[in-house]
Amino acid sequence: MYLSSIDRPHTAGPSRRRSLFLVSGNVLALGAVSLITDISSEMVTAVLPVYLMIGLHLSPAAYGVVDGTYTGATALLRLVGGYVADRTRRRKFVAGLGYGFSAVAKLGLLAAGSTVGAIGAVIAIDRTGKGLRTAPRDALITLSTQPQYYGRAFGVHRMMDTVGAFAGPLVALGILAATAQAYDAVFVASFCIAAFGVLVLVLFVRDRRGTQPPKSVVKPTALGDLLRIAPVRRLVLAACLAGTVTIGDGFVYLLLQRREELSVGWFPLLAVGTNLAYLLLAAPLGVLADRIGRQKVVLAGYSALLLVYLLLFGPLGGWPLLVVVLTLYGVFYAATDGVLIALAGPVLPSGVRTTGIALIQTGQALSYLVSSVLFGLAWTVWGPATAIQVAAALVAVALLVVGLLLRGISATEQPA
């Protein structure tokens, strides 16, 4: 009843006390689905780096390939999912397929055993699901929200999403402790939770099709048409550049674990620290982005990432290093993840908005694939200290270029 009663945001200007969470019921429902799904995903993600590099003795280069696959190898399917969702105007259905693929993949990890190739194939299936669902989900958020509240809506959604990301590693840690390090138990529990997330999507999320242009508007040339829009082209370039200089979470946590000689059993808690900061800051930074400019918040996020990389080879150590690095890493995600898409929303034509979001996310994901592989190779050849120093230098350069690319985009009106 509550979700349906607030399905559309109010048109009147909200008071400051009410404005923080003034989002539609559809955004809250999508947030609930993401919360549940992220519990499932982060249960696996939290244990995967230590499982592969310590349990299966993968080299950093091999782990870089697997980690890149986890995010980038199926990135082109984001474009397929975005285009199909716009073409059919069935965004909920396409997103549901993606969530379903990811749920089934959790069971595939049981069959994969310790075979690296099989693990990689299962991860590709899981990321296929993520590739299909992300753009339709984010498009539904924009279609359920007034443009002036995009930052707030994505902030609230990412906050709910991060509640799941925060809980997932804790659930995995509890299961491992209760089952004497039985990874199979983590995978089974992860599947059950993911299946429940699909059920919530089916029951509570509403599609947005009635106000969209006819299907004939969404042509096969949509990608080329989008890239001819200057602000969209600059956003895609900025997203690609940012993805190229961003190394995987697993590498950051492995560097912390090795430097501080943390017990393997405590490894999942590193992600918990990051997610706690993300959880607390996602909604406030979304509101701040709406007020002071979304590009400013995005650049602040990448500045936080630069500080993280610098601290990983700096003089600070012990628990202060852990607290500062994990907090700044959470700031990075809170300031960039949803805010970048909120920045893109007003410049994307409504008829191909899902395709446009998918184009930006695909560029970022493919760049991330390249980044993970190259950082893994750099770690293997030069060692972890030199590799992270090079990464920090590249982030500093990228920060300047991204700032130039994003300049003035937030003030651009949505094209007809």
Side-chain angles (χ1 to χ4, degrees):
M1 180 182 298
Y2 175 69
L3 292 179
S4 62
S5 68
I6 60 169
D7 191 56
R8 292 180 182 273
H10 299 294
T11 56
S15 67
R16 287 194 173 186
R17 288 188 63 186
R18 296 177 58 200
S19 66
L20 180 59
F21 297 106
L22 186 62
V23 296
S24 73
N26 227 28
V27 173
L28 295 177
L30 287 164
V33 174
S34 293
L35 187 158
I36 296 166
T37 303
D38 248 36
I39 293 175
S40 168
S41 297
E42 292 300 321
M43 287 173 64
V44 175
T45 302
V47 301
L48 201 59
V50 70
Y51 175 61
L52 293 176
M53 285 193 67
I54 297 178
L56 301 184
H57 305 291
L58 261 67
S59 69
Y63 173 71
V65 173
V66 174
D67 184 61
T69 300
Y70 194 73
T71 298
T74 58
L76 293 177
L77 284 170
R78 296 172 187 256
L79 291 175
V80 174
Y83 178 78
V84 170
D86 279 335
R87 182 74 177 177
T88 64
R89 292 179 292 166
R90 298 183 67 186
R91 297 175 177 88
K92 174 182 172 179
F93 176 75
V94 176
L97 283 179
Y99 281 110
F101 274 129
S102 293
V104 172
K106 303 304 188 296
L107 289 181
L109 287 170
L110 292 174
S114 60
T115 305
V116 175
I119 291 173
V122 172
I123 287 174
I125 294 172
D126 178 74
R127 296 299 90 180
T128 296
K130 185 173 178 63
L132 287 175
R133 73 180 184 248
T134 303
R137 180 203 66 199
D138 285 350
L140 281 172
I141 292 174
T142 66
L143 293 170
S144 304
T145 307
Q146 296 176 22
Q148 65 267 34
Y149 298 139
Y150 281 169
R152 176 180 294 109
F154 279 102
V156 170
H157 174 270
R158 294 318 197 248
M159 178 190 70
M160 297 178 70
D161 181 274
T162 310
V163 170
F166 175 78
L170 295 177
V171 174
L173 194 63
I175 292 175
L176 290 174
T179 59
Q181 306 298 308
Y183 288 96
D184 287 358
V186 174
F187 301 150
V188 171
S190 176
F191 164 74
C192 295
I193 295 171
F196 179 63
V198 175
L199 180 63
V200 172
L201 176 81
V202 172
L203 294 178
F204 294 107
V205 173
R206 295 184 178 183
D207 217 337
R208 290 295 186 195
R209 291 184 281 173
T211 60
Q212 297 305 295
K215 296 179 184 179
S216 59
V217 172
V218 187
K219 303 174 183 177
T221 59
L223 288 179
D225 294 338
L226 281 167
L227 289 174
R228 279 190 281 272
I229 302 173
V232 176
R233 185 169 60 250
R234 287 158 56 197
L235 274 166
V236 172
L237 289 173
C240 289
L241 180 59
T244 303
V245 300
T246 304
I247 67 173
D249 294 357
F251 280 124
V252 172
Y253 299 147
L254 284 167
L255 285 166
L256 279 174
Q257 187 263 337
R258 290 190 174 204
R259 175 169 171 170
E260 297 303 314
E261 298 181 350
L262 299 176
S263 167
V264 171
W266 293 104
F267 187 86
L269 293 182
L270 296 176
V272 172
T274 297
N275 291 332
L276 177 60
Y278 188 0
L279 165 64
L280 295 175
L281 294 172
L285 287 179
V287 173
L288 182 65
D290 287 339
R291 291 179 178 173
I292 70 171
R294 292 159 191 163
Q295 80 277 32
K296 294 179 182 178
V297 174
V298 169
L299 292 175
Y302 281 100
S303 298
L305 181 66
L306 174 59
L307 291 176
V308 167
Y309 292 175
L310 291 174
L311 286 167
L312 287 174
F313 63 85
L316 189 64
W319 67 263
L321 173 68
L322 295 175
V323 171
V324 174
V325 165
L326 297 180
T327 299
L328 286 172
Y329 210 34
V331 170
F332 159 65
Y333 277 115
T336 59
D337 187 14
V339 179
L340 182 63
I341 303 302
L343 180 62
V347 304
L348 294 171
S350 59
V352 288
R353 183 169 298 166
T354 317
T355 305
I357 291 173
L359 177 62
I360 293 168
Q361 293 171 338
T362 295
Q364 198 167 29
L366 286 174
S367 301
Y368 179 88
L369 169 59
V370 174
S371 172
S372 289
V373 173
L374 292 180
F375 187 81
L377 290 172
W379 181 328
T380 302
V381 175
W382 298 332
T386 301
I388 194 63
Q389 289 170 16
V390 172
L394 292 175
V395 172
V397 174
L399 189 59
L400 296 175
V401 180
V402 169
L404 293 174
L405 290 170
L406 297 184
R407 181 181 296 175
I409 285 182
S410 62
T412 305
E413 296 296 327
Q414 179 177 320

